[in-house]
Amino acid sequence: MRRSAAETREHVLQVAHDLFYWNGIRAVGVDRVAAEAGVAPTTLYRLFASKDYLIAAYLERATHLYQEWFEAAAGDADPRARILGVFDALTGQVHPRQCRGCPFLLALAEFPDPEHPAHRQAVVLKRWVRDRLGDLTAELAKTAPIGDPDLLADHLALLIEGVYASAQALDATGPAQRVRSLVEKLLAFSEE
């Protein structure tokens, strides 16, 4: 079955995602990605000039998918329900067979140099999440007496990171499962 260049690129990125996410970016070579994708290394290098370009494309794709997931999880209800929707969806996402942790935190751990494209792309997504939470808390502040919407957004961002870390270390049925009640308490406290 012949694929177009765009289809081949997407297929390679899906394979790279599976390999990088579950095994680590540095641990997986380009030859392995090509072999698992069923393409010649020359084809892979035509699509991505180097492993760094492949990594950048992988994280850009992951960013786009995460943003879609976040927006779908937030839905279009009232701001409080939108915030809770994100955490409900997150709790459903962090089961061990489907989640090894946050791919962006994993990339930050593997690429600590702030100048590396993988590091920069992970930071872009983390800032986007914090900004979206800030948008949601600002919307909530229009309908409820929120003392400090920015502080609330910071707390919510920390809870997201904690869910990923906790699910990875202590299983999804541990503390991560209780995040909704913590978010509800945080929202109630912020409204006092």
Side-chain angles (χ1 to χ4, degrees), residues 98-140:
Q98 69 187 39
C99 182
R100 183 178 163 246
C102 173
F104 305 98
L105 288 178
L106 296 170
L108 288 169
E110 287 199 60
F111 299 96
D113 177 2
E115 299 306 312
H116 193 282
H119 187 98
R120 287 196 311 262
Q121 185 63 41
V123 168
V124 164
L125 184 274
K126 292 300 179 183
R127 283 190 180 134
W128 181 89
V129 169
R130 169 50 186 84
D131 290 347
R132 279 302 287 127
L133 290 169
D135 294 343
L136 291 172
T137 58
E139 287 177 35
L140 182 60

